[in-house]
Amino acid sequence: MHAALVARPGSCIRQLAQRDRAREIQFTRFLRNEAVTAEEIAAQAAERTAERARGRDVVVAQDTSELSLGGRRAKANGYGPIGKGGALRGLLLHAALAADAGNGGVIGLVDAKVWNRTGGKAKHRRSRTTQEKESQRWLDSTRRAARGLTEAASITVVSDRESDIYEHFAYRPSQAHLIVRACQNRRIDTGEEEQQIDLLFSRIDSLPEDGRLNVNIPAAPGRKARSSELVVRFSSVTLRRPLHGAADLPETVKLTMVDIRETSTPEGGKPIHWRLLTTHPVTNIAEARRVVELYRMRWIIEEYFHTLKTGGFDIEAADISDPEVMIRFAAAVAVAAVAVMQLVKSRDGTTGQTLLEVFDPADQPIIEAVSAKLEGKTERQKNAYPKGSLAFAAWVIARLGGWDGYYGKPGPKTMRLGLEAFQSIKFGATLGLRDV
């Protein structure tokens, strides 16, 4: 099933089976088998990621996305966007994706949790511990990253404002650093007088500038690419534990705050303002820049969710009515989507990854033969990357997906179409059609 998902990204079981009835039944039985669990699927993927992460500086980006299911039978049976009883329902996927901190190449999946909200009124958040809340997922993924990537040179877990949880910092594994975009204006100890308490945001706002950075901000949905200047402030801070539901936690946690603000307001948008809490030491502008660069790699998890949905696999269109079966299928797609992400990120030849991180050894001569057929007369129509590299394969897959080599950069949709086309060529080659 994994091979089928990588070769023909999509959410239709029949198409994945290439309309082979026996294979379709095989896939269906696998997904309906109660011995198959989403946790085990994710764990197997995490083991492969750990092997590839050995000796590398790793950034683990984690986030949560809702899967608003829209399959015809799912709606008819009361699942998907509208659950039983009329309440809004949908599966949730929390994923943690590892990337190389030096070149941005996607290494693999570290963790993936898929669950279905069952409804019912929850107790007030202040009367529940973190273990009783969905927010426990942030702590769990950080622990799995630290436990699984033991042979990585370093681990930095980055996440957005929803993960600004006191326990996240208090229970951080010693093997992993954190960079979290601050959401809570927490109480801090200033150290100026005994037990004097101030608020985090007002403290950092009162500090003088420590320097400025000139950065290139890439394009994103609703935002044009631009060059900008950022004002940088940084300071060590001592957070005090929350007033409610935290009596068993450490009284304080020491961190560093890096505050980044864009000096001008961009046309049609808001200026960047990030307050980043980190366990990395920051004593100068170079170390502050490094924290900012690592946090910016969080965007790969957004690209990953886009690949799972409209950008590639269209998982929300899956026509599966049973929520448990859909949870298993979502986990399988979460693993397969990594291969498409690896192709997208390697397209510029900057990640240094080999073709074998995505393809089988037997695929290499076919890819090289296809490349020779696709190359044109101009330099921009030639595959400029070394044979055996993932960038070489990404160029071939992108061309098969409709990219002409001139305009823009191939994204997940193009790679999805290219993988489908390559699968057909590969199938022809196995039938003895040598002139691929």
Side-chain angles (χ1 to χ4, degrees):
M1 173 172 279
H2 175 74
L5 282 166
V6 172
R8 293 172 297 279
S11 59
C12 177
I13 300 298
R14 182 171 297 177
Q15 291 179 2
L16 288 174
Q18 291 187 302
R19 301 189 180 276
D20 181 323
R21 178 63 177 169
R23 182 56 57 87
E24 181 182 351
I25 294 298
Q26 183 185 37
F27 288 170
T28 302
R29 286 176 176 171
F30 174 79
L31 291 171
R32 291 187 177 278
N33 190 335
E34 293 183 358
V36 176
T37 66
E39 291 78 12
E40 183 64 20
I41 291 171
Q44 291 289 329
E47 288 181 11
R48 294 193 295 271
T49 300
E51 294 175 4
R52 295 173 183 154
R54 188 178 294 118
R56 301 165 79 170
D57 292 314
V58 177
V59 171
V60 177
Q62 62 167 322
D63 206 350
T64 306
S65 183
E66 183 172 2
L67 306 180
S68 300
L69 309 179
R72 177 168 33 86
R73 285 181 295 166
K75 289 181 178 179
N77 284 278
Y79 298 103
I82 303 298
K84 290 184 176 180
L88 185 66
R89 292 290 180 267
L91 294 184
L92 292 165
L93 167 64
H94 185 82
L97 198 64
D100 190 299
N103 57 41
V106 176
I107 300 173
L109 201 64
V110 173
D111 189 28
K113 179 182 179 181
V114 190
W115 72 99
N116 184 34
R117 285 181 176 148
T118 56
K121 187 175 181 180
K123 295 186 293 183
H124 192 276
R125 64 181 180 85
R126 287 184 175 178
S127 62
R128 291 178 288 154
T129 63
T130 299
Q131 290 84 351
E132 298 174 305
K133 302 175 185 177
E134 288 184 351
S135 53
Q136 178 66 29
R137 65 193 185 274
W138 303 100
L139 284 70
D140 290 343
S141 287
T142 300
R143 287 171 183 159
R144 290 191 181 106
R147 186 170 60 244
L149 305 177
T150 53
E151 296 189 49
S154 67
I155 306 167
T156 300
V157 181
V158 299
S159 47
D160 214 349
R161 286 176 287 193
E162 194 177 350
S163 68
D164 181 7
I165 303 165
Y166 190 81
E167 291 94 324
H168 197 190
F169 301 109
Y171 294 147
R172 172 186 67 93
S174 59
Q175 310 96 307
H177 280 287
L178 296 178
I179 302 176
V180 173
R181 188 175 175 188
C183 177
Q184 309 293 333
N185 192 13
R186 299 185 180 278
R187 301 181 307 143
I188 63 171
D189 283 341
T190 64
E192 295 174 1
E193 295 180 12
E194 186 176 357
Q195 295 189 354
Q196 179 178 342
I197 296 174
D198 199 354
L199 292 179
L200 178 62
F201 294 168
S202 58
R203 173 67 173 175
I204 200 71
D205 291 347
S206 68
L207 298 177
E209 292 183 20
D210 287 296
R212 298 198 173 196
L213 301 176
N214 292 312
V215 299
N216 293 318
I217 300 171
R223 184 185 74 194
K224 295 181 180 180
R226 65 182 186 273
S227 297
S228 187
E229 184 181 57
L230 305 177
V231 172
V232 181
R233 295 178 176 87
F234 56 85
S235 175
S236 60
V237 293
T238 302
L239 306 185
R240 293 188 63 83
R241 68 186 176 198
L243 294 173
H244 304 280
D248 58 340
L249 296 177
E251 186 174 342
T252 61
V253 173
K254 293 184 178 181
L255 301 169
T256 299
M257 168 75 88
V258 178
D259 185 272
I260 303 294
R261 305 182 192 218
E262 196 168 5
T263 56
S264 60
T265 301
E267 182 180 352
K270 294 182 179 180
I272 287 175
H273 184 194
W274 295 341
R275 294 183 174 107
L276 305 178
L277 288 168
T278 182
T279 57
H280 279 291
V282 178
T283 59
N284 54 55
I285 194 68
E287 291 174 345
R289 175 188 281 274
R290 182 59 175 160
V291 168
V292 174
E293 289 174 346
L294 292 175
Y295 178 75
R296 289 177 66 181
M297 292 184 68
R298 196 198 71 82
W299 185 248
I300 65 169
I301 198 70
E302 302 292 348
E303 295 175 310
Y304 173 72
F305 288 138
H306 177 62
T307 300
L308 282 169
K309 298 179 181 180
T310 57
F313 287 80
D314 199 18
I315 190 174
E316 293 181 316
D319 199 12
I320 298 175
S321 61
D322 188 319
E324 292 302 318
V325 174
M326 187 61 205
I327 285 173
R328 297 180 192 116
F329 182 65
V333 173
V335 175
V338 172
V340 176
M341 280 289 298
Q342 287 173 320
L343 287 170
V344 172
K345 300 300 285 186
S346 67
R347 64 196 174 192
D348 296 327
T350 59
T351 67
Q353 293 170 287
T354 69
L355 179 147
L356 298 181
E357 292 198 37
V358 176
F359 296 93
D360 295 327
D363 294 337
Q364 184 167 346
I366 303 175
I367 290 172
E368 291 177 3
V370 173
S371 179
K373 290 285 186 179
L374 291 173
E375 286 189 348
K377 295 181 179 180
T378 67
E379 286 300 315
R380 297 190 69 175
Q381 289 180 319
K382 294 184 182 299
N383 194 335
Y385 305 107
K387 293 179 179 180
S389 69
L390 189 56
F392 184 94
W395 185 92
V396 173
I397 298 302
R399 289 298 307 274
L400 289 174
W403 180 60
D404 64 1
Y406 282 95
Y407 301 105
K409 294 183 178 181
K413 284 185 178 180
T414 300
M415 295 300 184
R416 174 181 64 82
L417 294 172
L419 283 168
E420 290 179 5
F422 175 74
Q423 181 65 20
S424 298
I425 294 171
K426 180 180 176 180
F427 179 69
T430 62
L431 293 179
L433 303 180
R434 302 304 182 185
D435 187 14
V436 296

